[in-house]
Each structure stands twice: as structure tokens, then as C-alpha cells.
Amino acid sequence: TLQAGGVVHNCGVNDDMAKDMGDFLATDPGFDVLDMSRNQISDVGAEYLSAGLASNSSLHVLDIVENRITVSGMRAILQATCEEELLPTRALRFTGCPLFDNRSSSSADVLSVVSILGGSSCRNLRFLGLSSTGMNSDVAVQLVSALRWNKSLVVVTMADNQLDDTVATALSVNLEQNTTLQEVSLAMNRITEAGVGQMLQLSGVRRLQCVWMVGNPCSSQWYQHPFVDINFRIDAEAMMRYV
């Protein structure tokens, strides 16, 4: 049960302040949850935070929604929280950060993130929020490939990224080997009726508890929830439900 949290939400936090927060996290202040959403933290600040997280043994949730972090900063945070087996971080939410703007699926940082998520040391992370992050379908296919090997994630959100049917197909194929994932949000993308049909052909997707599809150009019979703001509202609810 989460007992304590820190909130530095919408406070104009920049990279210098993020360094101070990283130093503070390294002292292990006992926070279960840290909300640093809607600030001005860039990849430089993400590196500072990751340095603090590497020495922290209590933080379960880092909510860093709507900052200026790209996939490079995401990689640093994942390395700090996933590659140290004893660290307890269970939920990371990057929703609204420009993680993948103008990034190709072959970029070194994207490939590094895939390697971390699919690696054997990624044991505690249950929730990963990647909605509204500028992700294209090629990048999404790369990221989804990590699910074949990942043994910890329970919820992944990729809403509002303009993803197409190739992502639905990749998800179906890679979930055949996955036994832990329970919920996926693909809301507000470009997945058609054909893409949904491909998803449902394989048992990996059919065993999921929820596949959020609202806002895609497929039949409304596939929608699992009426909320239009699913990338924020359901994103946050799911994050806290699985930590």
C-alpha cells in the first residue's frame, strides 16, 4: 500500500531544480510516489533524476507527465529503475512528453529502451505510460517487440500516437509469448477494423483484460470505455491500480 508521496506538479521545475530533486532522492526520503508532472524538465534533468533513483529504495511511482524529456531521458530513467534489481519502481508515466518526436525506430536510444524493457533485469516495472509521446508506428513496433520477453509489465498505454494496423499486428504476435500484460491502451490512434481483426486472431490479445480502442476508425463495438480523455484519466487510474 502506498503511504507517502511528493508533489512538485506544475511548479516550473527546470533542470537545475531537477538536480536538487535527484540529490534529495538519493537520500531515500521515503516517498512512495513522486509527481513531477507538467514542469520544464529536459533530458539533462532526467539524467539528474536517474542518478538519484539509482540510490533510492522506496519510490514506487514516478509521474513525469508533460515535461520536455525525449527518449534519451527516458532511457536514463529506465536504466536507473529497471537495471538495478533491488529498486522498487513499479510505475513510470511519460504521457505528453516529446519522447519520440522525429525519432526513427533504428535510433540508438530507441533500441536501448527496447533492450531494457525486454531484458531479464526488468522485473518490477508494472505500468508504462507512453500516450501522446509522438510515437510513430515503426517505433511502436520496435517497442512492442520487447513485450515478447518482458515478465513484469501489467499495463502499457500508447494512446494518441497515430499508430496504424502494423502496431496491432505486432502486438498480437509478441503477446503470444507474454504472460503478464493485462491492459493495453491503443485509444485515439489509426487502427482500423482490419487491424482489430488481426489482433483477435491470436490468443495473446484475447486473454487480456482490456484493450482500450476508443477513438480509432474501427467499429464502436470494440470500444471498452466511453471516456475520450483516456490517455490521462484511464492512464492515471490504471497506474495506481497496479502499484
Side-chain angles (χ1 to χ4, degrees):
T1 303
L2 302 180
Q3 300 293 335
V7 179
V8 195
H9 166 85
N10 198 21
C11 294
V13 174
N14 58 25
D15 291 335
D16 290 337
M17 297 174 188
K19 183 179 187 305
D20 293 336
M21 178 57 75
D23 293 342
F24 182 59
L25 287 172
T27 69
D28 207 357
F31 289 167
D32 288 322
V33 179
L34 178 59
D35 180 356
M36 298 193 73
S37 59
R38 297 178 175 86
N39 283 297
Q40 300 169 23
I41 302 168
S42 74
D43 291 341
V44 173
E47 292 279 357
Y48 291 141
L49 291 174
S50 65
L53 288 169
S55 302
N56 186 288
S57 61
S58 57
L59 192 70
H60 288 167
V61 177
L62 176 60
D63 193 349
I64 201 158
V65 162
E66 291 188 21
N67 277 278
R68 299 175 181 175
I69 296 170
T70 75
V71 66
S72 177
M74 176 189 177
R75 172 195 49 74
I77 290 172
L78 281 174
Q79 283 180 327
T81 56
C82 291
E83 296 195 338
E84 296 292 336
E85 294 182 9
L86 298 179
L87 296 183
T89 306
R90 301 176 188 171
L92 295 172
R93 190 159 74 122
F94 295 96
T95 299
C97 293
L99 295 181
F100 304 105
D101 287 1
N102 301 315
R103 296 300 178 107
S104 75
S105 58
S106 61
S107 76
D109 286 321
V110 170
L111 295 176
S112 180
V113 164
V114 171
S115 178
I116 294 169
L117 292 175
S120 60
S121 61
C122 187
R123 298 181 178 180
N124 297 318
L125 188 63
R126 299 181 185 177
F127 178 99
L128 183 60
L130 301 175
S131 297
S132 305
T133 52
M135 186 191 310
N136 62 40
S137 293
D138 289 343
V139 168
V141 168
Q142 282 278 21
L143 292 174
V144 165
S145 70
L147 296 176
R148 179 184 294 266
W149 313 112
N150 184 277
K151 305 298 182 185
S152 65
L153 283 167
V154 179
V155 181
V156 175
T157 71
M158 297 187 290
D160 191 27
N161 280 305
Q162 305 302 310
L163 308 181
D164 61 25
D165 290 349
T166 62
V167 179
T169 301
L171 181 66
S172 304
V173 171
N174 286 288
L175 286 185
E176 289 294 286
Q177 305 297 321
N178 182 290
T179 59
T180 58
L181 199 68
Q182 296 181 22
E183 298 186 26
V184 177
S185 174
L186 294 172
M188 295 182 290
N189 283 294
R190 296 177 177 176
I191 298 172
T192 69
E193 197 80 13
V196 174
Q198 292 170 339
M199 289 171 62
L200 296 179
Q201 287 179 10
L202 298 176
S203 60
V205 171
R206 293 200 303 271
R207 69 163 181 77
L208 296 178
Q209 292 183 5
C210 293
V211 181
W212 307 102
M213 295 298 297
V214 66
N216 281 280
C218 56
S219 171
S220 61
Q221 67 177 308
W222 307 116
Y223 294 175
Q224 296 295 308
H225 207 289
F227 292 133
V228 175
D229 58 339
I230 193 168
N231 59 320
F232 292 104
R233 190 167 184 172
I234 300 302
D235 197 339
E237 290 175 3
M239 178 175 68
M240 300 309 297
R241 189 161 62 248
Y242 286 103
V243 296

